[in-house]
Amino acid sequence: MLDILNALLVMGGLGIVFGVILSFADKVFAVPVDEKVALIRDNLAGANCGACGYPGCDGFAEAVAKGEAPITGCPPGGSKTVQALAEIMGVSATASEPKVARVLCQGANEIAGIRYEYSGVESCAAAVAFAGGPKLCQYSCVGLGDCVNVCKFDALTIENDLAVIDDKKCTACGMCVNVCPRHVIELVPRSATVAVRCRSSAKAREARAACTHACIGCKRCEKACAFDAIHVADGFATIDQEKCTQCEECIKVCPNNCITVS
Amino acid sequence: MRLAEVGFFLFMVDCILCNNYIFSRFLGNCPFLGVSSKVETSIGMGLAVTFVMGLASAFTWVAYTYLLEPYDLKYLDTIAFIFIIAALVQFVEMFMKKSLPALYNALGIYLPLITTNCAVLGVALLNIKSSYGLIESVLSGVFGALGFLLAIVMMAGVRERLETSDIPKPFRGFSISLVIAGMMAVAFMGFTGLVK
């Protein structure tokens, strides 16, 4: 009987002592936490997916509270989260249109010319560092899947040495946009289906020699557009999504089929 | 291995190399594999473990000698040690959050993991088993943790280089890490019997 009592007293005593010490330490070492952080954290999707680019939901909540991250930065949370965060942060929730990532290159096998056979590290960044990558075009998708590796939602695949995005799975987190060494992935509104899928700044002849689907900057689309929405700059055409009405006139005049509808 | 018999230096060599917690006792493998992807964070983790192991050795020795032994409660050592270590890690976490926020952020979820790091519990139990005194206990805790630090930093160095290596597909990720850990353990076997 005494044994049990001793055991109870010793363990219970240890517990009480530690409890007291820790509760004091909690007060002494208390770090003032912005109460917004906890509120924001509660309203996030809470999957710790990293789509926002911060280390977990806690990191994102802190950044939002500091005003460093946009309230629309949590793709899995959707519009519900945006509204809740807007209320907490006291800013108006702009009805953000859902976005999607798009690969601005059509340089798959047979379409884009190959310069050399690459058999090094399976990484676009490494391949680009090695004499500018295996494809003739210096502005094309390398096709070694840095974006596939970074995608947390399985939305990307490499088909015929070209990155392909599954619109249904894409949450527009922007991880692939940041990792692509050639910057050929872009976030666009989901409603913007027409896209110029080439970013080659090369001269017309070189661009055409490197890829059959290259934008050569001929400005035919610019002339065909009735809404002043497409312009050639740096040797390739870009669409101003705010003006574009998806009328597809530019697609009809493009000589190299580098404008597409998805 | 008593401190008085072999002297300070050999005691240290024995703790760090011959009886390395990772490579010869196989304790604390979870943080060893979990936090060894970057040298910088692995150093932080190693230092945090060193700190906790040194403190835990002292506290558990005191608790064992002045509480458990006199009241004939030696059979409660494991549960009491877990208890002490958990409270200690909690305390260290609060302290770090306040005083070393950079290190706190770098360690992230791995700091609470020290609670269940079996190297920490291992050192407490082994100290008792070897009937060490207070100074010996603390030294064996600190040196054992330095061995852990050495192991985890070596591992992180190798894994940083693995990032850019062309590894066959079946070996990628954890498999190659485990293979490397195994090879390191084999290398560390060479230290066996260095101190007698």
Side-chain angles (χ1 to χ4, degrees):
Chain A
M1 188 62 204
L2 198 65
D3 283 350
I4 297 172
L5 206 64
N6 268 345
L8 274 175
L9 281 177
V10 167
M11 292 305 284
L14 273 178
I16 289 168
V17 170
F18 287 142
V20 169
I21 293 176
L22 283 181
S23 57
F24 268 110
D26 195 32
K27 291 272 183 317
V28 174
F29 297 122
V31 180
V33 182
D34 195 343
E35 53 188 48
K36 276 186 205 157
V37 174
L39 264 175
I40 293 169
R41 177 71 180 82
D42 288 343
N43 279 296
L44 296 179
N48 276 320
C49 66
C52 50
Y54 289 89
C57 297
D58 287 327
F60 178 67
E62 259 171 52
V64 172
K66 276 187 204 155
E68 285 169 1
I71 53 169
T72 49
C74 179
S79 58
K80 227 182 188 175
T81 301
V82 175
Q83 268 167 12
L85 295 199
E87 220 159 272
I88 297 165
M89 294 298 293
V91 292
S92 58
T94 44
S96 69
E97 223 213 299
K99 291 191 166 184
V100 69
R102 188 149 295 154
V103 180
L104 301 179
C105 178
Q106 298 185 87
N109 273 340
E110 319 268 292
I111 292 173
I114 299 296
R115 225 146 49 102
Y116 60 85
E117 196 94 355
Y118 178 79
S119 60
V121 181
E122 286 269 319
S123 149
C124 305
V128 166
F130 185 66
K135 284 180 187 169
L136 267 174
C137 177
Q138 294 292 295
Y139 304 90
S140 70
C141 167
V142 187
L144 289 167
D146 278 8
C147 49
V148 176
N149 294 337
V150 84
C151 185
K152 294 259 168 85
F153 302 95
D154 278 340
L156 277 142
T157 43
I158 297 291
E159 285 168 25
N160 266 334
D161 286 344
L162 181 72
V164 178
I165 293 171
D166 183 346
D167 284 4
K168 281 182 203 135
K169 288 181 182 166
C170 179
T171 62
C173 66
M175 299 290 268
C176 50
V177 177
N178 294 332
V179 81
C180 179
R182 286 277 169 78
H183 309 292
V184 289
I185 309 182
E186 193 181 54
L187 290 183
V188 294
R190 272 186 187 261
S191 61
T193 49
V194 176
V196 181
R197 293 186 58 193
C198 182
R199 290 222 150 164
S200 173
S201 294
K203 284 187 188 126
R205 187 183 291 173
E206 283 170 29
R208 189 63 185 77
C211 174
T212 59
H213 283 45
C215 176
I216 53 173
C218 66
K219 301 201 179 183
R220 277 194 218 177
C221 48
E222 212 176 286
K223 282 167 200 143
C225 184
F227 306 95
D228 195 31
I230 187 161
H231 291 283
V232 173
D234 292 336
F236 59 89
T238 35
I239 294 177
D240 183 347
Q241 299 295 356
E242 276 177 20
K243 290 182 184 163
C244 180
T245 58
Q246 327 291 331
C247 69
E248 302 179 16
E249 280 303 318
C250 49
I251 298 173
K252 288 174 198 157
V253 297
C254 182
N256 285 348
N257 302 321
C258 65
I259 311 181
T260 61
V261 184
S262 50
Chain B
M1 190 69 49
R2 301 303 301 243
L3 184 59
E5 288 166 20
V6 296
F8 185 79
F9 180 72
L10 283 182
F11 190 77
M12 183 173 79
V13 169
D14 181 63
C15 289
I16 295 180
L17 297 178
C18 308
N19 284 314
N20 189 291
Y21 273 91
I22 300 291
F23 294 135
S24 15
R25 295 199 207 266
F26 305 110
L27 293 171
N29 277 296
C30 162
F32 172 67
L33 290 167
V35 204
S36 58
S37 50
K38 275 191 201 137
V39 170
E40 207 175 304
T41 42
S42 72
I43 290 174
M45 182 70 187
L47 291 177
V49 168
T50 311
F51 187 55
V52 171
M53 263 168 90
L55 276 180
S57 306
F59 275 83
T60 50
W61 185 87
V62 170
Y64 187 83
T65 318
Y66 294 108
L67 271 176
L68 301 185
E69 239 173 3
Y71 293 105
D72 212 15
L73 294 170
K74 285 179 189 168
Y75 58 91
L76 280 178
D77 56 358
T78 307
I79 191 165
F81 289 173
I82 290 174
F83 200 32
I84 292 167
I85 292 163
L88 206 60
V89 172
Q90 275 289 308
F91 187 82
V92 171
E93 198 182 345
M94 286 178 195
F95 176 79
M96 268 196 181
K97 205 173 180 181
K98 176 86 174 174
S99 314
L100 307 160
L103 186 59
Y104 177 80
N105 285 332
L107 291 178
I109 57 157
Y110 292 106
L111 194 58
L113 263 184
I114 300 179
T115 318
T116 48
N117 182 345
C118 40
V120 182
L121 182 62
V123 77
L125 291 170
L126 285 168
N127 285 341
I128 302 304
K129 203 176 150 200
S130 323
S131 52
Y132 280 162
L134 179 59
I135 294 169
E136 276 173 319
S137 294
V138 174
L139 285 181
S140 102
V142 171
F143 290 148
L146 287 180
F148 175 84
L149 177 73
L150 176 77
I152 197 170
V153 172
M154 275 167 51
M155 187 66 172
V158 174
R159 280 179 75 175
E160 273 190 356
R161 297 188 66 159
L162 283 183
E163 293 262 308
T164 49
S165 307
D166 190 11
I167 304 160
K169 241 179 192 158
F171 282 108
R172 275 181 207 168
F174 260 106
S175 14
I176 190 79
S177 303
L178 287 170
V179 170
I180 287 164
M183 287 198 277
M184 282 183 175
V186 172
F188 264 70
M189 271 176 75
F191 291 117
T192 316
L194 197 62
V195 181
K196 277 187 183 165

